[in-house]
Amino acid sequence: MKWEGNRESDNVEDRRSDDGSGGGGGGFGGRSIGLGTIAIALVASYFFGISPTTVLSLLSGGPVSQPQSQQAPAGTNRATQPEDPKKKFVRTVLADTEDVWTQIFSANGKTYPPPKLVLFSRATPTACGTGQTASGPFYCPGDRTVYIDLSFYQLMQQRFHVSGEFAQAYVIAHEVGHHVQNLMGIMDKVNNAERQMSKAQVNAMSVRMELQADCLAGVWAFHANQARGILEQGDVEGALNAATAIGDDALQKQEQGYVVPDSFTHGTSAQRVRWFKQGVSTGEVKSCNTFEVKTL
């Protein structure tokens, strides 16, 4: 992926402390949208040593104990440290999403207020409650912020055998896709509809929400490549590998040996690949209407 030298966003906040810890807080009270949820809960026990039950309780608003807030060592000033290449990458990718979505919204007579992105370690307070590493990258509509612990990229490589900068950019673009859904009023409509639904129906609606975010990530990639030529050989394949690795069916099969379709919240590997490819091949938001199609 070609990104060095491109504009960097000023909307990134780094809450990582130098000892690798983050601030503690209360349990998840609001809805957040991310790549992880149940799927990440299944692998959390293996990679992070956290019980899946604890993670699922956290995500559903149940009571869980939180790590204590820790501060960076006295006298440490992150601003004086050498530039963090990972942070620079995140700032550049976020800036690229800002440029693309600003242009798309403007073409439709609308203004695009960009999200903030917070880098954290272990845990951090959000408008949706306490964000945890084990929940994976997520978007909180309450504060219009994307939250990511960069150790998720290690998880992608070590646990899912997915690497490459464009695959990492896809993760950010997916969460920004949720921000776009929020701005378009899709989240409110879904939340209102879910109040009258069964658990299985709510899960099915969540799948459509997540697949649309995958498609919107593809829309970003299409326009970013048109404007700045960011894609290199193998980049799209890397993102497709990421989408395949974090499909609900793939994760459940890997962790428990069987799949439970009614429990899917993000879509199968094939569905995630299909909808990302839909966005990256058309570059059109209207092609991402996962709520109107009968077959995903």
Side-chain angles (χ1 to χ4, degrees):
M1 176 179 175
K2 300 177 182 177
W3 61 272
E4 293 90 343
N6 292 345
R7 185 180 75 84
E8 297 179 33
S9 174
D10 293 325
N11 292 313
V12 174
E13 178 185 348
D14 193 348
R15 295 182 187 173
R16 299 171 298 168
S17 59
D18 296 284
D19 61 355
S21 66
F28 251 92
R31 174 172 183 166
S32 61
I33 308 293
L35 281 166
T37 42
I38 293 176
I40 292 301
L42 294 173
V43 302
S45 60
Y46 177 91
F47 189 77
F48 297 110
I50 301 173
S51 166
T53 303
T54 300
V55 178
L56 292 175
S57 176
L58 171 73
L59 294 173
S60 63
V64 295
S65 59
Q66 303 294 341
Q68 296 297 314
S69 176
Q70 300 183 31
Q71 301 297 325
T76 301
N77 185 349
R78 181 173 291 276
T80 64
Q81 296 180 349
E83 185 176 40
D84 181 351
K86 294 180 180 179
K87 180 178 178 180
K88 185 179 183 67
F89 172 77
V90 170
R91 285 168 56 97
T92 303
V93 172
L94 185 63
D96 210 310
T97 66
E98 292 169 353
D99 293 343
V100 166
W101 288 112
T102 294
Q103 181 182 23
I104 292 176
F105 270 59
S106 177
N108 288 274
K110 298 180 180 180
T111 300
Y112 176 72
K116 189 165 80 171
L117 187 149
V118 169
L119 299 174
F120 73 99
S121 299
R122 290 178 50 192
T124 193
T126 82
C128 298
T130 295
Q132 293 273 351
T133 293
S135 66
F138 64 94
Y139 171 72
C140 176
D143 53 21
R144 295 186 173 185
T145 300
V146 173
Y147 293 88
I148 182 170
D149 184 330
L150 293 180
S151 65
F152 181 77
Y153 290 150
Q154 293 178 311
L155 173 64
M156 288 175 61
Q157 183 172 6
Q158 297 177 13
R159 181 61 169 163
F160 304 142
H161 309 293
V162 173
S163 60
E165 290 176 333
F166 187 69
Q168 296 176 3
Y170 153 74
V171 171
I172 297 173
H174 173 97
E175 301 308 331
V176 172
H178 286 309
H179 178 63
V180 172
Q181 290 173 318
N182 190 24
L183 296 178
M184 294 174 66
I186 295 172
M187 281 190 176
D188 286 340
K189 291 179 181 178
V190 169
N191 288 336
N192 291 334
E194 286 179 347
R195 295 191 181 100
Q196 311 299 322
M197 294 180 176
S198 67
K199 180 62 176 177
Q201 290 172 323
V202 169
N203 288 344
M205 188 66 74
S206 176
V207 167
R208 292 180 182 271
M209 180 88 80
E210 294 296 331
L211 293 179
Q212 185 178 58
D214 283 330
C215 185
L216 294 174
V219 170
W220 158 75
F222 173 92
H223 289 279
N225 191 53
Q226 288 276 316
R228 287 169 287 283
I230 66 168
L231 294 179
E232 296 180 293
Q233 185 174 2
D235 280 348
V236 172
E237 289 78 5
L240 295 178
N241 288 338
T244 298
I246 56 181
D248 285 329
D249 56 337
L251 286 167
Q252 289 189 3
K253 187 71 175 292
Q254 183 182 44
E255 292 303 314
Q256 59 193 31
Y258 59 92
V259 299
V260 183
D262 282 350
S263 70
F264 290 173
T265 58
H266 287 66
T268 67
S269 296
Q271 288 170 338
R272 302 202 72 165
V273 165
R274 175 195 168 188
W275 284 99
F276 177 78
K277 289 175 69 174
Q278 175 88 347
V280 80
S281 62
T282 67
E284 296 183 355
V285 174
K286 64 181 180 181
S287 73
C288 297
N289 193 347
T290 57
F291 298 96
E292 295 297 327
V293 298
K294 292 183 178 180
T295 302
L296 291 171

